[in-house]
Every structure is written in structure tokens, then in C-alpha cells.
Amino acid sequence: VPMYGTGQGSAASPAAWRAASCRLPGMHEGQSNGACFRSPDGRYDARFHMIGFADDTYSGVSDFEAKEQDIAKLLQKAQEDSQLWSDVLSASGGCLELKKMKFHMAHYDFCANGSPAMRQPQQSQALWADASNGKIAEKAKPLRAAEPRKMLGCYNEPGGSSKASFEATRSSAAREAARACSSGLGRR
């Protein structure tokens, strides 16, 4: 692959992207903390390090084994994993788009009736990432529980209400409908 990629519209682009994109998450998985989820009875485990499509990726960390979640420890793990992904991309000639780096700190308390309530994050709970290509490190502040983030084309809002996610989707649909209606295309 040439230094600046194969070029827009090149017939070689899909094959070149597939060759690179299949190996990069594997490199990340080999050294990242990742997240582990376990069924309540302990019989089933699911571990993941990264989920992605093209250049849109999501990773997570967890520590469900601990009786009390240590937020500082989880942030440190997330910091390590995000920097590792930035380093893997940099080594491949790519670059993490730091301004798009966002995260939710999903830490729940439980109400008297047993329902979960996501804690609001402290703004001091932030992640830093260095693009490793001469760019200045960026600080990613945590999103509020009801603040949606777009992931793989969908709006996710871990706080539970989905009102902000619905509004973001509705606004996007209205913009696209207006754009389609104002195009020069007729019905025939």
C-alpha cells in the first residue's frame, strides 16, 4: 500500500483495507485489557476488545469481579487501551482521529426497588490520547448518561431513557428528508 493509501476510487482500495483492517484489531486484542461479561451463574463468559466497522471502532473495559468498582482503575485501563489503539494505527500509517474520541463511564447504582441508575460522570474523569504522529494529545471528557454517541450509525445512550437518542435520530431523518425533497429529482 502506498504511503498515502491507494487513492480514492482505486479498485485496489477494498482489498488493501481488508488486509490491514483484519490484522489491526488482532494486534490490539493481543495486548489490550478489554471487557469481560459473565452470566449471573458464572457458566458463560464473553470477552471483547474491540468492535468495529471500517474506521469506526468501539472498545470497552470492565472489572465485574471486584465487589467495588474502582473508577480510577477502570479509567487507567481505558486510557491504556485507547493509547494502544492509537499506537497500532500509527504503526500502520494511520491516525486516530482524536476529536472523535468519546466515552461513557457506565457505572450504576441501584435504587431501593432494584432498578439501575447510571451515575453522572465527573468532568475530571477524562481520557487522554496521543496520536503518535506529532499531533498534540487530546482530552476526551466523559459523556453524560443521557448524552447519545453515534456508533456504527446508531445513537447509543446508556442512561436508559433513549429520549436524546430518539431526538438525534429524528433530527437526522428530518434533515435527510428535507434534502431529498429539495433535490432536483422528480417522482417519474
Side-chain angles (χ1 to χ4, degrees):
V1 177
M3 184 172 172
Y4 296 106
T6 56
Q8 186 171 355
S10 169
S13 292
W17 171 246
R18 181 161 178 353
S21 67
C22 288
R23 288 179 169 62
L24 299 179
M27 292 168 65
H28 182 265
E29 181 179 341
Q31 298 180 40
S32 68
N33 295 294
C36 181
F37 299 93
R38 181 168 287 135
S39 64
D41 64 6
R43 291 180 22 196
Y44 304 101
D45 285 350
R47 176 169 285 283
F48 81 92
H49 297 266
M50 183 173 293
I51 299 170
F53 180 74
D55 65 346
D56 198 359
T57 59
Y58 169 80
S59 63
V61 296
S62 66
D63 187 17
F64 293 118
E65 298 296 315
K67 285 193 180 253
E68 286 292 319
Q69 299 291 304
D70 183 343
I71 299 298
K73 183 177 175 183
L74 288 170
L75 280 169
Q76 180 61 36
K77 286 181 174 186
Q79 175 80 42
E80 291 167 3
D81 285 4
S82 61
Q83 187 60 55
L84 175 62
W85 182 237
S86 180
D87 294 345
V88 166
L89 287 175
S90 181
S92 73
C95 180
L96 184 64
E97 199 166 345
L98 297 173
K99 296 218 181 290
K100 288 186 173 181
M101 195 169 92
K102 298 178 176 144
F103 74 99
H104 279 107
M105 173 64 77
H107 192 166
Y108 294 87
D109 290 317
F110 292 90
C111 302
N113 67 1
S115 64
M118 189 171 157
R119 288 186 191 175
Q120 291 301 329
Q122 304 299 314
Q123 288 304 305
S124 61
Q125 298 170 333
L127 297 178
W128 289 87
D130 177 4
S132 304
N133 65 350
K135 290 187 179 179
I136 298 173
E138 289 279 337
K139 179 180 181 179
K141 294 181 179 177
L143 300 173
R144 292 174 286 110
E147 189 174 352
R149 67 176 163 71
K150 192 173 182 181
M151 174 61 194
L152 298 176
C154 300
Y155 289 92
N156 299 296
E157 179 186 332
S161 75
S162 298
K163 289 178 186 174
S165 295
F166 172 79
E167 183 53 36
T169 302
R170 191 203 61 73
S171 295
S172 177
R175 272 192 315 276
E176 293 302 318
R179 197 168 98 186
C181 289
S182 66
S183 75
L185 300 175
R187 291 182 180 222
R188 293 181 210 175

